[in-house]
Amino acid sequence: KQGQFLAFIYYYTKIHKQSPSQADIQKYFITSPSSVHQMLATLQKQGLITTIPGKARSITLLLKREELPDLD
């Protein structure tokens, strides 16, 4: 699931020229806001993404495209 979140962030950012909001992620994966928040916190703790607290659409991937799985 983590890989799918990372791939979604990558492709969303590439297409829209900005990172997804938590609502965008929630809508895509059909999950709760708390699940999205928890996953993003986990990814950040693992050093896979970074965010700017208090700033919307501030998710930045810290991986190269080659390190990401395909989005199913």
Side-chain angles (χ1 to χ4, degrees), residues 52-56 58:
I52 300 170
K55 184 176 181 206
S58 66

Side-chain angles (χ1 to χ4, degrees), residues 7 9 15 17 19 21 23-25 27 29 32 39 41 43-44 46 51 54 60 69 71-72:
I9 294 165
I15 292 166
K17 306 296 185 219
S19 63
S21 66
D24 295 325
I25 297 169
K27 192 182 304 180
F29 288 103
S32 69
M39 179 63 82
L43 294 173
Q44 191 163 7
Q46 293 178 350
T51 62
T60 303
L71 187 59
D72 292 332

Side-chain angles (χ1 to χ4, degrees):
K1 193 75 169 179
Q2 290 180 1
Q4 292 298 300
F5 267 63
L6 293 168
F8 176 78
I9 294 165
Y10 171 81
Y11 285 112
Y12 186 98
T13 303
K14 185 172 179 146
I15 292 166
H16 298 283
K17 306 296 185 219
Q18 63 181 353
S19 63
S21 66
Q22 289 191 21
D24 295 325
I25 297 169
Q26 177 191 348
K27 192 182 304 180
Y28 182 82
F29 288 103
I30 311 169
T31 191
S32 69
S34 61
S35 293
V36 172
H37 180 78
Q38 184 177 20
M39 179 63 82
L40 293 177
T42 299
L43 294 173
Q44 191 163 7
K45 284 179 191 168
Q46 293 178 350
L48 302 172
I49 64 169
T50 186
T51 62
I52 300 170
K55 184 176 181 206
R57 299 184 181 274
S58 66
I59 302 168
T60 303
L61 284 176
L62 301 176
L63 298 169
K64 295 177 185 167
R65 166 60 190 112
E66 301 80 44
E67 298 174 285
L68 300 173
D70 291 328
L71 187 59
D72 292 332

